[in-house]
Amino acid sequence: MTPDDSNPPLLADVAERYVKLVLAMGLHDAAYVDAYYGPPAWQQEALDQQASLSGIQAATNETLALLADEHCLRAVNLRKQLQAVLAKAEMLQGMRLDFDTESARLYDAVSPHHSRAYYEALVAQIDTLLPGDGSVSDRVNAFRAQFVIPADKLRAVMDAAIRAGRERTLQYIALPVEEDFVLEFVSDKPWSGYNWYKGNYQSVIQINTDLPVYIDRAVDLGCHEAYPGHHVYNVLLERDLVRAKGWMEYCIYPLYSPQSLIAEGTANYGIELSFTDAERLDFEQRVLYPLAGLDPALAPRYTQLNHLLAKLSYADNDIARQYLEGSLTREEALEWLVNVRLYPAEKSAQRLQFYDAMGAYVINYNLGQDMAKAYVERQGTTRAEHWAAFRDLMSSPRVPSGLRD
């Protein structure tokens, strides 16, 4: 690490305090610290001190006070991250927040609300695309059953998808030669994929095989978890901010923080940045469908369906909000997930597990994607300009509310 003149003593002190507060919080919530590759001594200090939640809350307020007169982008980011630490400390002490307040305080953003009628109009378009007997949900899931990647082909398909994402990313973003990842297949998780960043430019990427993995998910997961998504995001933070600038706040990643909206939003936007619709269809037909033993002739109609299903993504936020606030029972939320979001029953049950575990985190995927896309595409018109803005967004201390500027 070689600190430079962009690391003034006050912000360096605040950054260290922030990291230690996040480590202390992690002892109260095992999911809180998503990644840490800072000094082991700081971890040991947290273990030795075992700070109480009220102590963390008080120390966070003291640290925030140090930033009162600081207004640079880095200070704004530290302030937002510390405010999220404060919110989480209050929540773990029993404070109940409504869904939108939770998302604002933890993720610096609030998702729009839509009625059931809004989504039913979109479901009607899918009804037209897939006419026939039974519910729209039944027809969608019967059609999608043709696109499941066989278990014995999953690694080959995922390897090819990740390799393609990496090739596209390296055309625009230089990465350290030693960066790498390990791909694992796991089960019994509430998520479909996860990137565990280990530091030193290394990731462990896990794909959950509890439920069928459909062919379209190969590109989605490959781009989101690896290139140009989470793996690239974390590599850039480590290289450009922690090592090059000495900004130690980035050696830790608290999951319930504004950083997650940037991370999830860029990871999702990175999919369409890497592949235009035509490029993706061509790649899937030529490479992925044959590897999976699926019929490439079915790809265009499946792609058309997936474009319509993507328009239903905000239903996740609305279902989660109503379910977590108690205006939808568990049974009613499952019904929404099946008949509005058009998930199969088993996926719907898994989704409720995610809401229960993660609360308002769900907004980071779709709202984050839309905010990242809008920000990046305001910075230029060419693909190269979009990639440059995307890279800058991933390796700068920009906050979600600042993406609208």
Side-chain angles (χ1 to χ4, degrees), residues 122-131 136 140 305 308-309 312 342:
L122 297 171
V123 171
Q125 295 179 41
I126 297 171
D127 185 12
T128 301
L129 177 67
L130 297 177
V136 179
V140 164
L305 171 63
L308 291 174
L309 290 172
L312 293 170
L342 303 184

Side-chain angles (χ1 to χ4, degrees), residues 150-167:
D152 63 340
K153 313 242 185 229
L154 185 55
R155 180 171 290 276
V157 172
M158 285 305 309
D159 284 345
I162 292 173
R163 186 163 56 248
R166 186 173 188 274
E167 289 168 356

Side-chain angles (χ1 to χ4, degrees), residues 24-300:
M25 184 74 78
L27 299 179
H28 294 275
D29 183 340
Y32 190 70
V33 178
D34 192 72
Y36 179 68
Y37 50 89
W42 292 2
Q43 245 176 342
Q44 188 59 50
E45 182 180 323
L47 285 167
D48 292 342
Q49 293 184 353
Q50 295 285 323
S52 67
L53 287 167
S54 60
I56 293 170
Q57 187 175 338
T60 303
N61 278 316
E62 290 172 8
T63 307
L64 278 164
L66 298 175
L67 289 172
D69 298 321
E70 298 294 325
H71 304 290
C72 66
L73 199 58
R74 183 185 177 198
V76 169
N77 177 72
L78 278 164
R79 185 178 295 113
K80 293 286 187 181
Q81 292 291 115
L82 283 161
Q83 288 168 344
V85 172
L86 195 60
K88 191 63 177 176
E90 293 170 354
M91 291 169 69
L92 289 176
Q93 291 176 89
M95 177 178 282
R96 298 283 297 175
L97 301 177
D98 63 71
F99 187 87
D100 288 347
T101 303
E102 178 183 328
S103 74
R105 294 195 63 191
L106 293 182
Y107 309 117
D108 193 31
V110 175
S111 179
H113 295 194
H114 297 297
S115 67
R116 180 162 180 146
Y118 169 86
Y119 297 113
E120 287 176 339
L122 297 171
V123 171
Q125 295 179 41
I126 297 171
D127 185 12
T128 301
L129 177 67
L130 297 177
D133 298 328
S135 70
V136 179
S137 183
D138 289 341
R139 278 177 269 145
V140 164
N141 291 299
F143 180 69
R144 293 187 78 214
Q146 304 170 86
F147 301 95
V148 175
I149 304 170
D152 63 340
K153 313 242 185 229
L154 185 55
R155 180 171 290 276
V157 172
M158 285 305 309
D159 284 345
I162 292 173
R163 186 163 56 248
R166 186 173 188 274
E167 289 168 356
R168 284 160 171 74
T169 299
L170 289 175
Q171 292 177 38
Y172 298 96
I173 299 176
L175 296 174
V177 293
E178 63 268 40
E179 63 83 16
D180 204 356
F181 67 93
V182 173
L183 179 63
E184 297 178 349
F185 297 94
V186 298
S187 59
D188 195 26
K189 305 295 181 185
W191 37 257
S192 55
Y194 213 105
N195 178 296
W196 303 97
Y197 190 66
K198 302 300 184 180
N200 292 316
Y201 310 141
Q202 307 297 304
S203 290
V204 173
I205 295 169
Q206 294 182 331
I207 306 299
N208 187 8
T209 58
D210 282 345
L211 299 178
V213 181
Y214 298 96
I215 191 67
D216 57 299
R217 295 294 287 154
V219 166
D220 287 350
L221 288 167
C223 287
H224 183 99
E225 305 297 346
Y227 306 92
H230 291 324
H231 176 65
V232 172
Y233 173 72
N234 285 297
V235 165
L236 292 177
L237 292 181
E238 181 175 3
R239 184 188 67 188
D240 297 350
L241 300 186
V242 177
R243 296 195 188 195
K245 294 180 179 292
W247 291 6
M248 293 305 290
E249 63 265 37
Y250 286 101
C251 74
I252 198 162
Y253 175 11
L255 194 62
Y256 307 110
S257 74
Q259 189 174 348
S260 280
L261 186 134
I262 302 293
E264 302 293 4
T266 53
N268 267 0
Y269 175 60
I271 301 166
E272 65 175 280
L273 186 64
S274 300
F275 293 87
T276 66
D277 289 345
E279 288 169 346
R280 177 167 178 170
L281 179 58
D282 175 68
F283 171 68
E284 289 177 337
Q285 283 185 299
R286 282 189 304 101
V287 179
L288 298 188
Y289 275 71
L291 279 173
L294 303 179
D295 181 1
L298 297 173

